[in-house]
Amino acid sequence: MTTNKQPIWTKNFLSISFLSLLVFITFYTLLTTLPIYVIYSLEGTEAQAGLVVTMMLLSSILVRPFSGNLMERLGKRNVLIGSTIAFAVISLGYIWVEQFVPLMILRFMHGVAFGLLTTTTSTIAADILPVERKGEGLGYFTLFMNMAIVIGPFFGLTLIQLISFQQLFITLSILVVFSVLCAMLVKLKNVGIPALSTAKKKLSIHDFFEFKAVPVSIISALVAFAYAGILSFISVYSVEIGLGHLSGYFFLVFAFMMLLTRPYLGRLFDQRGPQIVIIPCLITFSAGFIILSVAAESPWLFLIAAGVIGVGYGSLLPFLLSLSIKTIPPSRNGHGTSTFFTLYDSGVAAGSFLLGLMVPYIGFSNLYIFLAGLVLAIAVVFYLYQKHMEARKNNEKKQGSRAC
């Protein structure tokens, strides 16, 4: 007997997925090109280049915990359309901003729109998928975001070799117009403003965070801190060592190796447990930083480093997220995911700023050696955490058997 599966690829799902793709392409394009713009066009410092990344991440982190209440009050579709229009309008501002302080204000505003928009798209994607195919559908949805990690940096870093920054900003502004059209195509049931409950609910910190997910989320934040050295500064580093024309290909090789190894590593993670996969990935990630630190004027070493980092870092995010979710009850999955990404984004933001402060004093080569050591330290912390959790489980089993 066969059963008819409910479809995933509906007009709503395609619209919200392509909307997410366009927004994240814009996000990652700006994330990798603005540091170059700040240093070489605005004559800023490496610290300012890092701050321009941190500012947008900071404002998006601040707004995320309040997104749920806003969707409840105004309706999900209304927040979706409003935040998409805001994201598009603010994107136009980059064309005319030619000083650092106005750029920082623009980045803060852009982060608020981005935080609201990405939280809403993920919520709507989960809502419109059939219950029996939600896991499969969300896997496809996140694939669109993974595609943007490749397309955005490659698109931006390739274009700035051919056109001016103003022309790049105009191109991105055209791109986000299509994201508004995608938002308009999303139709939801009960799209009006929901009626507000007369009973006032007392808010607590548990409405925003899941504390059982915090230990693994802190480890993810440290990993994100290290990855900020790639995300925020690989474009500037490549120019400094005379390989600026290869900076876009760095992310292409990175993504290829990530996609090539993730299925095998995913099966290994399920079959053998997290420790057997995550610790080797961290060691590989560290090795990639070491190769990168000695890649001066060597295109092959530069691209080999990209591949090694793609293998090492590429699977850490989904594995750590899966591990954090396993520590909490299913009813708190949403809060656990929110906690995880809040701390992860905080790690990227802190890394972009603090590493930018370090570069003028130690240089990029020494910075990547420092990050290699940091990642090895993270591997030790993760090992100790796993041993602690194993000992805790054994104690609980012993106490349970004694009670029987």
Side-chain angles (χ1 to χ4, degrees):
M1 181 179 173
T2 59
T3 56
N4 292 323
K5 288 185 177 180
Q6 292 293 316
I8 287 177
W9 300 103
T10 60
K11 185 185 78 171
N12 274 342
F13 184 73
L14 284 168
S15 299
I16 204 74
S17 296
F18 278 108
L19 166 58
S20 181
L21 176 66
L22 294 171
V23 167
F24 274 98
I25 286 175
T26 304
F27 172 75
Y28 283 112
T29 299
L30 290 171
L31 203 66
T32 49
T33 57
L34 280 178
I36 299 176
Y37 177 63
V38 168
I39 292 172
Y40 294 101
S41 293
L42 302 186
E43 299 180 350
T45 65
E46 285 85 357
Q48 288 176 322
L51 194 57
V52 84
V53 173
T54 302
M55 183 57 74
M56 183 172 181
L57 289 170
L58 177 63
S59 58
S60 66
I61 290 165
L62 291 174
V63 78
R64 271 186 186 149
F66 304 99
S67 302
N69 286 336
L70 200 61
M71 282 185 275
E72 272 185 32
R73 291 177 175 274
L74 301 180
K76 293 171 187 174
R77 187 172 185 268
N78 293 333
V79 174
L80 176 71
I81 293 174
S83 58
T84 307
I85 291 172
F87 187 86
V89 170
I90 295 167
S91 297
L92 290 169
Y94 292 98
I95 300 169
W96 295 284
V97 169
E98 295 180 348
Q99 292 181 343
F100 181 71
V101 172
L103 178 62
M104 292 298 292
I105 295 170
L106 191 71
R107 290 293 284 171
F108 185 88
M109 293 166 59
H110 216 186
V112 171
F114 178 77
L116 281 175
L117 177 53
T118 52
T119 305
T120 307
T121 52
S122 298
T123 304
I124 290 176
D127 285 349
I128 62 180
L129 286 165
V131 174
E132 68 275 12
R133 302 187 71 184
K134 202 174 287 291
E136 181 187 356
L138 287 175
Y140 290 128
F141 178 73
T142 55
L143 182 61
F144 280 83
M145 289 187 282
N146 289 335
M147 287 167 57
I149 295 174
V150 182
I151 296 170
F154 182 77
F155 175 73
L157 295 172
T158 302
L159 277 185
I160 60 173
Q161 306 292 324
L162 307 170
I163 62 177
S164 69
F165 278 101
Q166 273 65 36
Q167 289 170 324
L168 172 67
F169 299 148
I170 291 169
T171 304
L172 291 176
S173 298
I174 295 169
L175 196 66
V176 293
V177 168
F178 289 100
S179 70
V180 176
L181 296 176
C182 289
M184 296 290 186
L185 290 173
V186 177
K187 305 293 183 185
L188 302 175
K189 295 176 181 177
N190 303 319
V191 296
I193 299 174
L196 295 177
S197 173
T198 54
K200 289 188 177 180
K201 180 188 170 185
K202 231 182 179 181
L203 288 177
S204 74
I205 196 162
H206 295 283
D207 293 315
F208 303 102
F209 294 101
E210 173 51 61
F211 287 97
K212 289 182 180 177
V214 166
V216 177
S217 299
I218 289 173
I219 293 172
S220 81
L222 293 171
V223 170
F225 183 96
Y227 183 57
I230 302 296
L231 201 59
S232 301
F233 298 112
I234 196 65
S235 54
V236 180
Y237 177 58
S238 66
V239 171
E240 185 176 281
I241 62 175
L243 299 174
H245 59 291
L246 290 178
S247 55
Y249 291 95
F250 182 96
F251 289 98
L252 203 61
V253 174
F254 171 95
F256 175 77
M257 293 306 296
M258 175 181 69
L259 295 174
L260 185 68
T261 57
R262 185 178 281 185
Y264 168 74
L265 292 175
R267 287 192 295 271
L268 195 61
F269 179 85
D270 289 334
Q271 293 166 6
R272 301 284 301 277
Q275 192 167 301
I276 201 72
V277 178
I278 290 177
I279 290 177
C281 280
L282 287 167
I283 293 170
T284 305
F285 189 22
S286 176
F289 277 125
I290 293 172
I291 297 170
L292 193 60
S293 72
V294 297
E297 298 180 13
S298 173
W300 287 110
L301 279 178
F302 185 71
L303 295 178
I304 287 170
V308 173
I309 290 170
V311 174
Y313 171 81
S315 296
L316 285 174
L317 181 61
F319 292 165
L320 288 170
L321 175 60
S322 175
L323 192 59
S324 71
I325 294 300
K326 286 180 180 178
T327 63
I328 58 178
S331 61
R332 296 282 296 174
N333 278 356
H335 295 83
T337 304
S338 173
T339 299
F340 180 89
F341 280 111
T342 297
L343 288 175
Y344 176 85
D345 286 349
S346 299
V348 175
S352 299
F353 177 61
L354 295 176
L355 298 178
L357 292 177
M358 292 172 62
V359 168
Y361 299 99
I362 66 174
F364 282 108
S365 182
N366 289 329
L367 177 75
Y368 289 131
I369 291 173
F370 163 76
L371 291 176
L374 174 64
V375 173
L376 286 178
I378 296 169
V380 174
V381 170
F382 179 78
Y383 174 79
L384 294 174
Y385 168 75
Q386 283 294 104
K387 287 297 178 184
H388 170 73
M389 292 303 291
E390 286 174 11
R392 187 174 170 181
K393 283 181 183 176
N394 289 335
N395 287 335
E396 288 174 355
K397 284 180 181 178
K398 286 178 183 177
Q399 288 174 2
S401 60
R402 285 173 187 167
C404 293

